[in-house]
Amino acid sequence: MDFTIDSEQLDLVKAVRGLITKVYDSSETRRAATNTEHGFTAWEQLAEMGVLSLPFEATPAEVSLVAEELGKVIAPDPFVEAVVLAGGLIASVGTEEQKEQYLDAIAEGALLPVFAWAEPGKAWSTEPSVTFANGRLNGVKAPVIQAGRADLLLVSAKTDAGTGLFLVTEGYTATTERTHDGSRAATVTFADTPAVPLGAGGDESAAIERALNLARIAYGHEALGAMQVALDITVNYLKTRKQFGVTLNKFQALNFRAADMYVALELARSAITWATIVAADEGSTDADVAAAASHSAIQVARAGRHIALDAIQLHGGIGMTAEYSVGHYASRILAIEQIIGDEAFHNERLAATVGDHDVFDPIG
């Protein structure tokens, strides 16, 4: 596997970083953006740069580089939710007519789709209770990230043929709440809501699982960017904050804590980079991508919780304040863990496939 980032990819990183660090030039700017109606402000600029078309034109490698840069400023814009996940489903499942109707609009920032798949009390399960019959949807989806802002909902629902995907533009209610990381999530209720199938209809379970796994890998990179900055902020704080007349980095125990955070970050970076390479490999099966997504999600969950909590503790009381940035990074890192699935969920997914592998004999 080639892990080298080429010159075009480096140019992409520089361009996105240049844009996004101007829009969100400080944690206070980002905090102000999350106080606007929908909670994000860089969407049009990202569309003008061509970032919103990347999942349809480039590989998961380019998508991951963008997600990591967005994570470094904890940009609240729903790049993974709307473009990678919902847009990716339209690109993989939609008819040619639906692709023509929606993909260009998504790339231009004129249409914001959201995939409603999670349901109350069914953490990370893709088995829907929402039903589809006679052209109508009935049931509840929650949480649905940015459903209140969405122009188009993609909804998974139970049908006689299995789990289908449906497009909805009206006839539902969305009760939106602000989440602890500054995003928005809604409870969406369908009551005889008119809907049309995405694609040819039928069971789309495999397409849903693959799209969610690709989104988990992209989220992993977003978390990686946030973890990197949380560590950098903490190390800088240890080098400048004084106690008993010396900077905190003179205390060996605190240096050990920072070193442990760095090791956790690099373990997560290795796992999520490998998962991206697996996703980008055209020879990878859906099972390969699922396993890579789960392995990387476990490392991201472990490292994220470790770095987020230690970053706050090493800062002391100031780390808990809304005016200081490290708490916002911790909040987003922990939110991503809840979106992609925690360590126990992914361990259970991997354990379920143990019987699919040959026995490894280390002696030969």
Side-chain angles (χ1 to χ4, degrees), residues 26-28 74 229 233 318-319 321-330:
S26 69
S27 63
E28 283 302 295
I74 45 176
V229 175
I233 294 171
I318 194 174
T321 62
E323 291 76 14
Y324 199 77
S325 63
V326 74
H328 299 284
Y329 281 91

Side-chain angles (χ1 to χ4, degrees), residues 66-290:
V66 170
E68 194 164 328
E69 291 304 313
L70 297 178
K72 288 179 181 177
V73 296
I74 45 176
D77 305 75
F79 173 71
V80 179
E81 294 87 349
V83 184
V84 178
L85 179 53
L89 273 172
I90 294 173
S92 65
V93 177
T95 63
E96 291 304 316
E97 183 180 359
Q98 289 169 334
K99 293 177 188 178
E100 186 176 346
Q101 180 179 359
Y102 296 125
L103 294 186
D104 285 348
I106 295 171
E108 293 168 359
L111 180 82
L112 195 145
V114 168
F115 179 34
W117 63 278
E119 296 186 357
K122 301 176 68 174
W124 308 300
S125 170
T126 55
E127 289 290 331
S129 299
V130 171
T131 59
F132 175 82
N134 302 319
R136 304 281 172 171
L137 286 171
N138 284 283
V140 177
K141 293 285 187 181
V144 185
I145 298 172
Q146 288 295 350
R149 168 61 183 82
D151 304 303
L152 176 70
L153 287 185
L154 283 66
V155 184
S156 60
K158 186 191 307 182
T159 71
D160 293 339
T163 301
L165 281 171
F166 301 91
L167 301 174
V168 176
T169 58
E170 58 183 3
Y172 61 89
T173 59
T175 305
T176 299
E177 295 182 2
R178 182 171 172 168
T179 57
H180 63 78
D181 62 333
S183 184
R184 306 287 188 276
T187 297
V188 181
T189 303
F190 304 98
D192 284 332
T193 300
V196 297
L198 175 66
D203 186 16
E204 302 290 1
S205 300
I208 292 170
E209 287 292 342
R210 184 176 181 85
L212 286 172
N213 287 325
L214 292 175
R216 287 181 174 114
I217 293 171
Y219 274 124
H221 281 278
E222 185 185 335
L224 194 65
M227 285 189 278
Q228 177 69 69
V229 175
L231 174 59
D232 292 344
I233 294 171
T234 304
V235 170
N236 185 59
Y237 183 79
L238 295 179
K239 288 179 178 178
T240 55
R241 179 75 166 91
K242 287 186 176 180
Q243 286 283 4
F244 307 109
V246 296
T247 55
L248 292 177
N249 67 337
K250 300 299 182 184
F251 298 94
Q252 193 176 45
L254 300 185
N255 281 336
F256 287 167
R257 295 277 294 273
D260 285 344
M261 292 167 67
Y262 175 75
V263 171
L265 173 68
E266 292 307 309
L267 281 172
R269 189 190 307 281
S270 297
I272 197 65
T273 302
W274 167 74
T276 305
I277 299 298
V278 172
D281 187 345
E282 295 180 356
S284 297
T285 66
D286 287 351
D288 295 333
V289 175

